[in-house]
Amino acid sequence: MISKKKTLQMLDVIDDMFPDAECELIHENPFELTIAVLLSAQCTDVLVNKVTKNLFQKYKTPEDYLAVPLEELMQDIRSIGLYKNKAKNIQALCKILLEKYNGEIPESHTELVKLPGVGQKTANVVVSVAFGIPALAVDTHVERVSKRLGICRWKDNVKQVEETLCNKIPKSRWNKTHHQLIFFGRYHCTARNPKCMDCPLLNDCREGKKRYKVIVE
Ligand code: SF4
């Protein structure tokens, strides 16, 4: 693994590449964000935004989601993967929000992860994006990029990746870094064809050096 100092140098480069990185899930409040993040599991933000454009017109409150039969909600999100489970989770979540939280999304990470369909990553995104609380959510892009660059170990699981990132990066940078690593992974260091030959980190990147060993050395 690379050092804390080297990690921050790399993040500075990524900061220059994507200074305006931010959450790409369209939402107007913490409740909509939570629904959007829940829908985004194993699905692209682009597709989620397409679906939520109509969804958020039709359903504005937890009561709205509970006022329709489950089958109707399933139909409204059917173009999204795992839509049956996600619809069930949304209604279960809305019920708990009304019973325990006065219909509002709780700001506490501990409370959020107790909600149906809300795991560690979703809770981290909600607290950081909706409430500005420092958190570093690890999605597929963050994990892949962190491992390729050598910030984390290849064998690390998601929890270990999050711990390592939080140890190496100052808390004040967590929220911004989360979005920048996602942009870097989504638009530059992509899963299938990373733009190594056009990458300012190529000479320091263990994955890039492996792929283009002859050229770099
Ligand atoms: Fe990703 Fe390639 Fe750049 Fe490494 S060199 S960070 S693998 S694009």
Side-chain angles (χ1 to χ4, degrees):
M1 280 200 297
I2 60 170
S3 67
K4 201 181 250 192
K5 188 176 168 200
K6 191 76 205 166
T7 298
L8 295 180
Q9 285 170 355
M10 286 179 162
L11 292 181
D12 286 342
V13 173
I14 294 173
D15 184 33
D16 285 341
M17 293 172 75
F18 299 103
D20 302 319
E22 60 182 6
C23 179
E24 293 195 297
L25 290 168
I26 298 169
H27 63 280
E28 286 190 358
N29 53 54
F31 179 57
E32 287 189 353
L33 175 67
T34 306
I35 300 290
V37 181
L38 192 151
L39 291 174
S40 73
Q42 295 179 47
C43 181
T44 66
D45 287 2
V46 173
L47 180 56
V48 171
N49 288 336
K50 217 181 260 183
V51 169
T52 55
K53 194 174 175 201
N54 294 326
L55 194 75
F56 292 164
Q57 287 294 322
K58 180 172 175 180
Y59 305 95
K60 297 197 178 296
T61 65
E63 287 93 338
D64 293 341
Y65 284 96
L66 292 170
V68 299
L70 178 60
E71 289 66 30
E72 184 174 334
L73 180 56
M74 284 180 180
Q75 283 308 306
D76 288 334
I77 62 169
R78 69 187 177 285
S79 54
I80 288 193
L82 309 173
Y83 70 94
K84 290 184 180 172
N85 270 338
K86 289 176 181 174
K88 279 183 204 162
N89 282 334
I90 288 172
Q91 285 200 332
L93 177 144
C94 288
K95 196 163 176 284
I96 295 173
L97 289 184
L98 290 171
E99 285 170 0
K100 283 189 69 179
Y101 302 102
N102 204 22
E104 303 286 334
I105 296 294
E107 289 191 24
S108 151
H109 187 281
T110 313
E111 295 302 308
L112 278 165
V113 289
K114 291 180 191 164
L115 296 171
V118 178
Q120 174 75 3
K121 188 202 84 174
T122 301
N124 277 350
V125 173
V126 172
V127 295
S128 66
V129 175
F131 303 119
I133 297 166
L136 230 165
V138 177
D139 73 347
T140 181
H141 299 299
V142 174
E143 181 178 0
R144 182 182 66 255
V145 167
S146 301
K147 289 182 176 179
R148 280 180 174 172
L149 288 170
I151 298 171
C152 303
R153 287 177 291 258
W154 285 115
K155 61 177 185 184
D156 284 351
N157 59 33
V158 175
K159 190 166 176 280
Q160 290 167 322
V161 170
E162 184 181 334
E163 281 168 7
T164 303
L165 289 173
C166 289
N167 282 334
K168 288 186 169 178
I169 303 167
K171 211 170 186 177
S172 57
R173 286 182 72 163
W174 288 358
N175 289 0
K176 190 78 179 162
T177 297
H178 159 68
H179 296 304
Q180 289 177 326
L181 289 178
I182 289 177
F183 269 54
F184 186 72
R186 189 174 281 160
Y187 302 112
H188 181 86
C189 185
T190 48
R192 287 204 184 149
N193 296 304
K195 298 173 183 161
C196 300
M197 295 313 291
D198 191 26
C199 183
L201 295 172
L202 177 58
N203 286 329
D204 290 321
C205 172
R206 65 177 174 186
E207 173 70 14
K209 282 194 276 195
K210 198 168 72 187
R211 285 173 184 245
Y212 297 93
K213 201 165 182 270
V214 178
I215 299 168
V216 174
E217 282 182 346

